[in-house]
């Protein structure tokens, strides 16, 4: 049942996944939701300038999938019927990470395999059909409008092809992504700058579509290969997506960029830690040219720590936390963040009915707590590279050992793999790794790791078969 609508208008800056999901949730609480998107209106599930990563491999983890199914009942069923692949993470994923293959078993953790552009197009259609929502394209937001005392945000200034406009609202939500200018807007208004954490990685990834070779008989729906830091810096990913195609993404860190040409692309795939991706695509037919995207860093802005912060303004998505895309957390974090915004609005209306006072800080603090686990998991792995530039805290080496040992254990222990997936897919918190039976297995394996080389205690070479 939807909450009673007590507020008037909300403006959402950005019409990508974070903005669309935010708008869907906000439609339960506002009479009018206006999305201001910089890009022109798309004609279909096509790549947009504002989402340069849209043509590359994306993942929607189990927790994000369940949020989307809650917000848009029947969406997953519709997409499966039109060609998206349904997969079980434990059974259908062939996953080599940090030097070993994970065990394969029936996990009950579901993923949908499809292109980011198609999923966003489907979500956009559902959101645009809501009577409360107006989606305006070719609108570039230039700044915030505040009250004379700069205590609250009251609207935005934006440009359209016809000229400059202003729009007032009860709440402004920044979902503008990595390109968000909110930090500079707030500084110019006298609020100061948010603290920033950044891990510089110089990540590049190159993607293209292939037609699978007719004689290929792999028993996976997705294959992922992550390097073992710090010795390796190259990885790759294949997923079956709509249209019976393979979407193949290769990535490299610190200037080790995957080439775009046919020969270079294949040679890069051949150089990966295991030969399986190369063997899958060497006889596959390329369907598109390769495209490249570069990410200089992972970044988190701590708006929740600012001493001064305006009322009636919240941020979510990559505007706050832009994660390393290799780990496939981004769309799921956006989904959970939008869900959290809805939950926070419900709580806020009970505590402070009819007013926005206090909502901004309440949400940004809750969002920071939500982001802490995916941020910690990704950056802990990335900081194993000595080339990675970022703040290293005391005890990081011990955390690297513990996390690496757990990942090695997942190659020979279904229990460890199951609990790791529970955390990775954001179904459960870090407490899932503190089960007594897992702790006992981890302690025994950790002791073993001090005396037994990795190839003798982990599955480093053999791609496991899917269970029947």
């Amino acid at each position: 049942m939807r909450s009673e609508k007590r507020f008037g208008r909300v403006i959402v800056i950005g019409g990508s996944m974070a903005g669309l999901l935010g708008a869907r949730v906000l439609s339960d609480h506002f009479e009018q939701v206006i999305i201001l998107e910089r890009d022109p209106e798309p004609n279909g599930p096509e790549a947009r300038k504002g989402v340069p990563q849209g043509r590359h491999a994306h993942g929607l983890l189990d927790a994000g999938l369940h949020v989307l199914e809650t917000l848009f009942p029947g969406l997953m069923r519709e997409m499966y019927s039109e060609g998206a692949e349904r997969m079980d993470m434990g059974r259908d994923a062939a996953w080599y990470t940090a030097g070993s293959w994970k065990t394969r078993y029936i996990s009950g953790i579901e993923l949908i395999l499809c292109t980011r552009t198609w999923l966003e197009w489907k979500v956009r259609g559902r959101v645009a059909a809501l009577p409360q929502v107006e989606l305006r394209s070719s609108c570039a937001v230039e700044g915030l409008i505040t009250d004379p005392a700069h205590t609250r945000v009251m609207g935005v200034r934006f440009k359209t092809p016809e000229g400059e406009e202003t729009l007032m609202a009860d709440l402004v939500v920044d979902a503008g992504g990595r390109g968000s200018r909110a930090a500079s807007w707030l500084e110019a208004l006298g609020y100061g700058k948010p603290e920033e954490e950044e891990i510089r990685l110089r990540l590049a990834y190159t993607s293209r579509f292939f037609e699978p070779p007719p004689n290929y008989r792999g028993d996976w729906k997705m294959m992922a290969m992550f390097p073992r830091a710090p010795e390796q810096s190259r990885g790759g990913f294949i997923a079956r997506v709509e249209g019976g195609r393979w979407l193949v993404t290769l990535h490299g860190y610190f200037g080790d960029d995957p080439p775009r040409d046919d020969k270079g692309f294949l040679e890069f795939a051949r150089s990966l830690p295991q030969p399986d991706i190369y063997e899958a695509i060497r006889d596959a037919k390329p369907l598109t040219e390769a495209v490249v995207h570069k990410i200089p860093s992972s970044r988190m802005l701590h708006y929740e720590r600012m001493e001064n912060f305006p009322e009636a303004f919240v941020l979510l998505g990559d505007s706050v936390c832009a994660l390393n895309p290799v780990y496939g957390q981004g769309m799921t974090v956006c989904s959970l963040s939008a869900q959290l915004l809805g939950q926070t609005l419900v709580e806020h209306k009970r505590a402070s009915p009819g007013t926005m006072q206090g909502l901004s800080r309440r949400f940004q603090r809750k969002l920071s707590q939500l982001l802490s686990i995916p941020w910690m998991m990704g950056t802990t792995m990335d900081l194993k590279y000595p080339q990675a530039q970022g703040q290293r805290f005391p005890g990081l080496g011990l955390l690297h050992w513990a996390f690496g040992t757990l990942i090695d254990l997942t190659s020979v222990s279904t229990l460890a793999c199951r609990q790791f997936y529970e955390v990775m897919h954001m179904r459960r918190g870090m407490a899932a790794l503190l089960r007594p039976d897992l702790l006992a297995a981890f302690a025994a394996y950790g002791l073993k790791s001090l005396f037994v080389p990795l190839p003798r205690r982990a599955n480093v070479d053999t791609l496991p078969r899917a269970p029947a």
Side-chain angles (χ1 to χ4, degrees):
M1 180 180 295
R2 294 187 173 184
S3 304
E4 178 187 354
K5 297 178 177 67
R6 298 184 181 178
F7 300 114
R9 175 188 291 162
V10 56
I11 296 169
V12 179
I13 303 171
S16 295
M17 286 297 289
L20 293 170
L21 297 176
R24 163 61 189 85
V25 168
L26 291 163
S27 71
D28 290 344
H29 303 274
F30 287 81
E31 296 292 346
Q32 186 180 30
V33 181
I34 298 179
I35 304 172
L36 300 178
E37 167 55 45
R38 178 184 293 270
D39 286 341
E41 183 175 358
N43 296 315
E46 58 193 30
R48 296 188 291 110
K49 182 179 179 181
V51 190
Q53 74 276 22
R55 293 177 290 181
H56 301 268
H58 278 70
L60 182 64
L61 305 180
D62 184 272
L65 186 148
H66 284 287
V67 171
L68 258 65
E69 186 60 29
T70 300
L71 296 178
F72 308 105
L75 175 62
M76 295 300 111
R77 183 173 62 253
E78 176 184 317
M79 296 192 70
Y80 291 139
S81 70
E82 295 179 9
E85 287 275 358
R86 182 198 301 264
M87 64 165 279
D88 180 281
M89 183 68 196
R91 180 190 61 212
D92 301 322
W95 193 9
Y96 178 93
T97 183
S100 60
W101 292 101
K102 284 188 167 33
T103 59
R104 295 177 72 179
Y105 63 99
I106 298 174
S107 68
I109 297 175
E110 183 179 340
L111 281 81
I112 182 172
L113 298 179
C114 63
T115 58
R116 157 71 185 260
T117 50
W118 189 41
L119 177 60
E120 184 176 300
W121 175 252
K122 287 288 191 179
V123 170
R124 179 188 174 95
R126 293 286 185 109
V127 172
L130 296 170
Q132 303 94 328
V133 174
E134 179 183 351
L135 210 164
R136 301 186 187 178
S137 299
S138 301
C139 295
V141 177
E142 297 293 312
L144 304 174
I145 300 171
T146 67
D147 63 346
H150 294 333
T151 60
R152 64 177 287 118
V153 170
M154 301 184 70
V156 298
R157 297 179 287 104
F158 62 100
K159 289 183 179 179
T160 72
E162 289 73 37
E164 296 187 2
E165 297 185 32
T166 61
L167 189 64
M168 311 306 284
D170 298 306
L171 177 68
V172 174
V173 177
D174 189 316
R178 283 181 178 262
S180 168
R181 296 161 58 192
S184 59
W185 292 340
L186 292 176
E187 184 180 21
L189 289 168
Y191 292 101
K193 296 180 67 174
E195 294 179 33
E196 181 176 352
E197 289 185 75
E198 185 178 36
I199 310 296
R200 297 193 63 82
L201 299 165
R202 294 170 55 207
L203 168 69
Y205 47 104
T206 303
S207 299
R208 68 191 310 185
F209 288 100
F210 287 82
E211 179 183 309
N215 59 343
Y216 189 78
R217 295 293 180 266
D219 66 352
W220 46 265
K221 296 182 179 181
M222 178 191 83
M223 180 184 292
M225 195 167 292
F226 293 167
R228 186 177 182 90
E231 302 91 344
Q232 303 161 347
S233 62
R234 295 181 172 188
F237 180 93
I238 305 179
R240 300 183 191 176
V241 297
E242 70 274 11
R245 301 167 294 170
W246 280 349
L247 175 55
V248 181
T249 293
L250 305 178
H251 71 265
Y253 291 110
F254 312 111
D256 188 11
D257 301 355
R260 294 178 58 182
D261 63 283
D262 292 0
K263 182 178 178 181
F265 191 89
L266 281 175
E267 286 304 311
F268 193 97
R270 190 203 293 265
S271 73
L272 297 182
Q274 295 291 320
D276 302 84
I277 288 180
Y278 168 74
E279 291 173 354
I281 67 173
R282 65 183 173 186
D283 297 321
K285 177 184 176 182
L287 297 174
T288 60
E289 296 294 323
V291 292
V292 178
H293 183 56
K294 297 186 179 183
I295 300 278
S297 64
S298 302
R299 182 206 67 190
M300 182 150 69
L301 298 172
H302 289 282
Y303 288 101
E304 81 285 357
R305 298 178 186 172
M306 292 180 67
E307 183 176 350
N308 297 307
F309 194 79
E311 299 289 348
F313 182 59
V314 299
L315 303 98
L316 73 162
D318 284 2
S319 298
V320 180
C321 182
L323 298 158
N324 182 343
V326 165
Y327 303 123
Q329 302 162 306
M331 289 198 299
T332 298
V333 168
C334 285
S335 303
L336 293 172
S337 299
Q339 182 184 61
L340 178 65
L341 179 58
Q343 293 168 348
T344 306
L345 274 163
V346 170
E347 295 170 3
H348 182 78
K349 287 198 287 189
R350 289 173 183 159
S352 306
T355 176
M356 286 288 160
Q357 194 75 20
L359 173 68
S360 299
R361 283 200 179 276
R362 184 194 297 259
F363 175 70
Q364 298 304 150
R365 287 169 179 163
K366 287 178 175 290
L367 181 62
S368 177
Q369 295 170 5
L370 170 67
L371 296 172
S372 62
I373 291 179
W375 176 259
M376 184 276 292
M377 291 183 71
T379 58
T380 295
M381 298 301 294
D382 291 338
L383 285 171
K384 290 190 75 173
Y385 290 104
Q387 308 97 306
Q389 300 174 24
Q391 185 176 3
R392 289 169 165 82
F393 52 85
L396 180 61
L398 179 60
L399 188 57
H400 281 158
W401 175 84
F403 209 55
T405 300
L406 174 64
I407 289 176
D408 295 341
L409 179 59
T410 62
S411 74
V412 293
S413 167
T414 300
L415 168 65
C417 196
R418 185 184 303 277
Q419 298 308 111
F420 179 79
Y421 282 162
E422 289 282 333
V423 176
M424 188 190 86
H425 283 265
M426 304 184 74
R427 288 161 53 117
R428 299 182 60 190
M430 296 298 288
L433 303 179
L434 301 179
R435 283 179 43 157
D437 51 354
L438 178 56
L439 289 175
F442 174 82
Y445 190 82
L447 181 63
K448 186 177 183 180
S449 72
L450 300 177
F451 304 100
V452 180
L454 180 66
R456 291 171 49 196
R457 58 181 164 84
N459 177 13
V460 301
D461 290 318
T462 305
L463 172 60
R465 295 184 62 83

